[in-house]
Amino acid sequence: MSSFKKYKCLTISEKKNVIESVEEGERKVDVAKAFEIPLSSLSTILKNKEKLYSASSSRVRKHVGKGKFPRLEQCLVSWMRQCRGQNIPMGGSLLKKKAKTFAKELGIEFSASEGWLTNFKKWNG
């Protein structure tokens, strides 16, 4: 039996609920179990609660725009999701190769540079 746990990504509203639960007096251990997150993640959420509230109250988006080739990147993201669904590992060189293939099919003049790859990863998680 492995001790591997899947990561759970909480939304901003879920993180606010976590903070409210702790502030209402619930034990941290119980809150962590209820939201299925490790205690370390709970501590991080509590530590960053000021950032969380200030970011969610401002109407400014956290990440800036997309790249110059939105259609290409949309195709690449769809392809990545299919690969993830089939547990196919992918690295930077494979992403760049596939991006060039899609660019050729879409008739886009494009060179998949390291800078583009870094930004693509940043924009698409």
Side-chain angles (χ1 to χ4, degrees):
M1 186 172 188
S2 76
S3 63
F4 175 74
K5 273 200 149 188
K6 260 194 159 179
Y7 287 105
K8 181 165 185 182
C9 186
L10 298 178
T11 63
I12 291 174
S13 62
E14 288 174 323
K15 289 179 182 179
K16 285 181 178 179
N17 290 339
V18 167
I19 293 167
E20 289 168 10
S21 297
V22 171
E23 288 178 346
E24 288 171 1
E26 283 189 53
R27 291 181 27 203
K28 290 180 182 179
V29 174
D30 296 334
V31 173
K33 280 183 184 172
F35 285 90
E36 298 175 354
I37 57 173
L39 271 172
S40 60
S41 295
L42 175 64
S43 298
T44 304
I45 292 169
L46 294 172
K47 186 175 84 176
N48 295 325
K49 77 177 180 181
E50 296 305 319
K51 284 183 192 174
L52 179 74
Y53 281 109
S54 66
S56 64
S57 65
S58 67
R59 293 274 177 201
V60 180
R61 283 176 38 187
K62 272 297 180 189
H63 52 256
V64 183
K66 296 285 181 190
K68 295 178 188 173
F69 310 101
R71 182 75 186 119
L72 167 70
E73 292 175 3
Q74 185 181 11
C75 290
L76 197 58
V77 168
S78 295
W79 174 79
M80 283 174 45
R81 286 189 181 129
Q82 289 174 352
C83 289
R84 278 195 201 134
Q86 298 170 8
N87 291 326
I88 298 171
M90 64 185 98
S93 58
L94 181 59
L95 284 173
K96 286 167 49 173
K97 188 176 178 182
K98 196 64 180 177
K100 287 178 186 176
T101 305
F102 282 132
K104 193 174 182 180
E105 289 174 14
L106 293 168
I108 299 171
E109 199 166 309
F110 172 79
S111 68
S113 66
E114 281 300 316
W116 170 83
L117 179 63
T118 302
N119 288 328
F120 177 78
K121 287 178 179 178
K122 201 183 311 178
W123 296 324
N124 295 289

